[in-house]
Every structure is written in C-alpha cells, then in structure tokens.
Amino acid sequence: MDYFSTRGATERVSSAEAILKGLASDGGLFVPASFPQMTLPEIEALRDLSYEERAVHILRLYLTDYTEEELKGCVSRAYGHTFDDVRRAPVRAVGDLEVLELWHGPTSAFKDMALQLLPQLMSTARAKTGEQDTILILVATSGDTGKAALDGFADAEGIRIMVFYPDGGVSPVQRLQMVTQEGANVSVVAVRGNFDDAQRGVKEIFGDTAMAKELAALHTKLSSANSICCLLADGKIEAGDPVNFTVPTGNFGNILAGYYAKRMGLPVGKLVCASNANNVLTDFLQTGIYDRQRDFYQTMSPSMDILVSSNLERLLYHLAEDTRQVAAWMQELTTVGKYNASSLLPALRENFWAAFADDRATEEEIRAVYERTEYTLDTHTAVAYRAAEDYRRETGDARPMVVLSTASPYKFGASVLHALGEDTAQMDEFAQMECLHARSKMEIPVRLAALRTAVVLHEGVCEKDGMHAAVLSFAEA
Ligand SMILES: *Cc1c(COP(=O)(O)O)cnc(C)c1O
C-alpha cells in the first residue's frame, strides 16, 4: 500500500515513510492509495478477537511494509498494560443509545487509542528505514492530543517531542497533565493565542525550508502527531445491519476513521458530526461551504474548539479524488478564509449528518442523561449525545446508534459538576474529583488522582510568532 499527498505532491511513499514524515512536502496530508476491502464474514470474524488482535488485523491491511511480528509487538506494547479496561474500548448501553468509551487509556481521552500506538510504529519505522537523525515531533493541541502524545513519546529512542497548547484554552486538569510531564526528550510551551493559532504556527514551521536546513545541521527532522487518524474504528457490529455513529468532532480525525471503516466494508449508516458553538463543520456539511471567518468561542468542550479542521482535507480528497482541486480549496482557505465545495454536497449528505450544541445545551444534556440513566457524560460526549438524539428525532432513523465517548468526565470536572448543580467555587481540581466520584460512582482514574503531587516541570510561554524560535532552541538543547 502506497501513500500520497492530498495536494498532489508526486512522491509516493511507503507506510513507514509516511509515518516518519507526518506531513507531505506540499503541506498536504498522506492518504492511502486505495481502501482495502473486507467482506462481511471477515468483519464478523473480528468479533471473537481481542482488541489487540483486531487491531493487528486491520493495521496489516494498511501498513503492508511492516511484518506481522512487528505489528503484534507494536500493538501489544501500546495497549497491553496501559489501559484500565481489558476490552480497551467497552460499549455500554446508556438510555436508548450505545456509548463507546474510548478513554480508558493512560491520559483518559480517546487520543490514547492512536497515540499509544504511533510511537511504537514510529520507532519501528526508524529502524526499518535506517533513519539516523533525531525525529522532532511538533504538536499543536487543543488539550488532549498534547498529553496523549507526551505520554506515548516520553523517553522514546531517537525521538523528541514539543507540544504547544493555547494559554488559558485548556481545562485545568489538561494543563496539569501536560506541565507535569516527565521525560528527558519532552518540551511543553503555552502559546498566547487559540488552538488555530498554535496549529497554524506548527504548519508554518513544517513549510519553512530555511528552518528545515537549520534543523538538518542539528541532525533533526520534523514530524507531526496531530489528531492522527486512528484506523482502529471499533464498533458494535450487528450482522450486516448498518449502524449509525455520532462523533464529537474537532479536527475530524475520529469521524474520518468511521468513514474509512465504511469504505472498507463495515456496515456504517450515517456518521453524525457533532460540534460545539464553533460549528464550522455543521455549516459545511449542510451547505458545502467552509467558512472559518467567524467568532471563535472558548467552550466547556475545549478539545473541539477548532475553526480549521485539518483532517477534513482527507475527506475532501476521497470524495473529489482530485488533488489539484483540494490544493486550490486549501489555498483559498488560507488566503480568503473560505472555500466552496458544494459540488461534494450529495456525497457529504449521503454519508454525514451534522448538528451542534452550545454550552447551555451541553449542560442540559449532562444533567438530563444523568437524571435519566445515572450515567455521567463528559462535556464532549454530551455534545455528541445531544446530536444523536437530534438526529433520531429529526430523521426518524431508528437504527442502532453508537455515540463515541471521547473523554472521562474527570478531565472536565468543574464543567460536569456545574451541570449537575454543584457549586465548585471553593473546590480545587482534586476536591472536584472527590465530589464527582460521589455523584457519578465512577472510579477516579489513578493517573489523574496522582497529579495532586506531581511537580510542574514546564512553565514556558511564547507569543504566536515566537514558536519558530522556541522549536530551534529546543532542537539545539
Ligand atoms: C480530540 C478530541 C475530540 C475531537 O476529535 P477529532 O478527531 O479532532 O475530531 C473530541 N473529544 C475529545 C475529548 C478530544 O480529545
């Protein structure tokens, strides 16, 4: 299986090379040259396997230059001992919907599904390709990717990692998780700006050829780990009956994995894209017009506070199959702030449905679901749960619906408690955890409780235009 850029750069690369590079040389994203097909009996056979066995099954269809032994090793190191549920991603009935809990990994957010595995694949790729230079991973995070990447890459051989997060734009627990990260190869910096500023800064650094030369002199190559599309879409598959999925969406990685699964043969009905008040994707999926020129809101679901949703570019490519067109749209997005892809509207409507919930609706949803079912949703999952209910009500489609749950409520304790009617004014993060434990009866994730005594190691802050300098000084250190 070869990979190439959504924007048409001519080089075709192997999966190991694509994993090492992260971004294509023309600024595009790597996509697979085709979708491997699985038959229904093959898909059904996955049901009897462990999560790790399923993962190897699916990964070997995409990562054809890795041996089965290599993949088995990567997968068992990634998921074997770091998750607190043997099923890794358990499905639980909550009301009329199925909730797929993707947050049982070490950082309590769904990013662990991909970012525990990626470092393993990258170290293996380094060995396979004979790479000698240090790989420097740059990450812009809206909160969860940063910690998940730091945890996955800490002390990885031949790899260093630098994370930029929006100053004041992440939850207190998310911030604490990042600034206390240990490891000789890590750096964490707050950027005075929002997530889009940080993401743009990282993309600019990738496109900067002068910078690449300076880094080459330091025997360093850049790579990325931004909302890497996790191919391990794992659902409750009925025998051939389509299932709908609702995904709380920011950078479009998770929902894109659902689309890939559909293209591979999984009986997926509609993919419902759930957004918060930053509803640029809701508008796009309804009109085909992507317009990032709008107010940016800081919401109680900060991991979805995004106006430039980067993996959407991959969907554009798969629907249009025209790299020149994709490059033109991306160019317009940069220069004008807007593009019109309404030619794709029929295909978008066939596969997707979209809705959003602002903070008030999100709070209402947390409380209503708690009162009805005693299950405590995190803020992101609540946005999705609401969108799933909207979808059922407005379309009458009663097929099974899986709501992807992307974070433990403990990561956003203050907002969740507020929704449940608690006054948190006098509580620090840890008192909030105790209070949430009393209300939700859910175990406090051990790693979050341990933040109480963790030492803050990263207090750096930079301006939006200071990211270049920060990367260079880290590379030199
Ligand atoms: C990253 C994240 C999302 C959004 O996922 P994308 O793949 O970026 O669309 C939603 N919820 C949580 C908790 C996240 O960390």
Side-chain angles (χ1 to χ4, degrees), residues 271-288:
L271 293 162
V272 176
C273 175
S275 302
N276 62 26
N278 296 295
N279 57 359
V280 63
L281 287 169
T282 318
D283 288 349
F284 174 70
L285 292 171
Q286 290 174 355
T287 64

Side-chain angles (χ1 to χ4, degrees), residues 178-474:
M178 291 189 278
V179 299
T180 57
Q181 177 66 47
E182 296 179 355
N185 63 337
V186 309
S187 172
V188 179
V189 179
V191 180
R192 292 211 174 88
N194 62 33
F195 170 71
D196 287 317
D197 296 320
Q199 179 150 274
R200 182 166 48 238
V202 164
K203 286 213 165 178
E204 270 169 25
I205 292 169
F206 273 102
D208 183 336
T209 44
M211 175 99 172
K213 276 200 194 119
E214 284 183 79
L215 289 172
L218 300 165
H219 304 289
T220 297
K221 283 200 180 91
L222 294 177
S223 187
S224 82
N226 267 355
S227 255
I228 295 294
C229 164
C230 165
L231 296 173
L232 315 179
D234 169 307
K236 197 179 185 181
I237 307 158
E238 312 288 340
D241 294 342
V243 176
N244 298 324
F245 292 86
T246 302
V247 187
T249 299
N251 244 341
F252 216 78
N254 205 2
I255 195 167
L256 186 77
Y259 176 75
Y260 274 38
K262 183 171 186 176
R263 292 287 301 261
M264 291 172 72
L266 188 74
V268 174
K270 279 282 190 281
L271 293 162
V272 176
C273 175
S275 302
N276 62 26
N278 296 295
N279 57 359
V280 63
L281 287 169
T282 318
D283 288 349
F284 174 70
L285 292 171
Q286 290 174 355
T287 64
I289 295 171
Y290 195 101
D291 188 353
R292 71 167 164 86
Q293 302 157 283
R294 57 178 75 209
D295 290 336
F296 176 90
Y297 300 105
Q298 270 193 8
T299 73
M300 64 170 66
S301 45
S303 302
M304 295 152 67
D305 289 348
I306 293 174
L307 291 180
V308 180
S309 182
S310 68
N311 288 297
L312 184 63
E313 179 172 346
R314 288 192 166 107
L315 179 69
L316 295 176
Y317 167 74
H318 291 302
L319 295 181
E321 293 191 335
D322 178 347
T323 53
R324 218 180 280 169
Q325 177 65 75
V326 173
W329 283 329
M330 291 304 113
Q331 180 69 24
E332 281 173 58
L333 183 62
T334 311
T335 53
V336 190
K338 179 176 172 165
Y339 61 85
N340 183 339
S342 52
S343 56
L344 302 181
L345 210 46
L348 290 171
R349 292 221 171 113
E350 183 191 324
N351 292 290
F352 296 91
W353 197 85
F356 75 97
D358 62 13
D359 276 359
R360 230 182 95 183
T362 307
E363 281 204 327
E364 270 172 28
E365 194 68 18
I366 292 172
R367 183 169 43 232
V369 171
Y370 179 81
E371 282 171 2
R372 239 178 26 235
T373 70
E374 299 188 342
Y375 184 79
T376 309
L377 299 167
D378 102 281
T379 49
H380 304 75
T381 310
V383 167
Y385 202 97
R386 176 109 173 175
E389 291 181 328
D390 289 348
Y391 172 76
R392 279 208 164 157
R393 198 182 49 249
E394 290 184 27
T395 66
D397 179 350
R399 287 180 289 193
M401 173 66 85
V402 178
V403 174
L404 274 62
S405 173
T406 48
S408 157
Y410 284 101
K411 286 195 88 166
F412 306 94
S415 302
V416 172
L417 285 170
H418 193 253
L420 297 180
E422 297 284 345
D423 177 3
T424 57
Q426 305 302 319
M427 300 181 199
D428 69 7
E429 284 79 47
F430 304 100
Q432 289 166 6
M433 286 183 199
E434 295 299 334
C435 182
L436 189 54
H437 177 60
R439 295 293 305 269
S440 71
K441 312 282 189 293
M442 292 163 88
E443 292 296 324
I444 303 178
V446 178
R447 302 268 307 265
L448 294 186
L451 290 174
R452 191 196 293 264
T453 52
V455 181
V456 172
L457 301 169
H458 309 278
E459 293 188 290
V461 182
C462 75
E463 301 299 331
K464 280 189 252 182
D465 56 11
M467 290 171 64
H468 267 79
V471 170
L472 271 180
S473 82
F474 180 56

Side-chain angles (χ1 to χ4, degrees), residues 133-151:
D133 282 359
T134 300
I135 307 285
L136 173 52
I137 314 269
L138 296 186
V139 178
T141 183
S142 58
D144 289 328
T145 302
K147 178 60 185 185
L150 288 164
D151 191 89

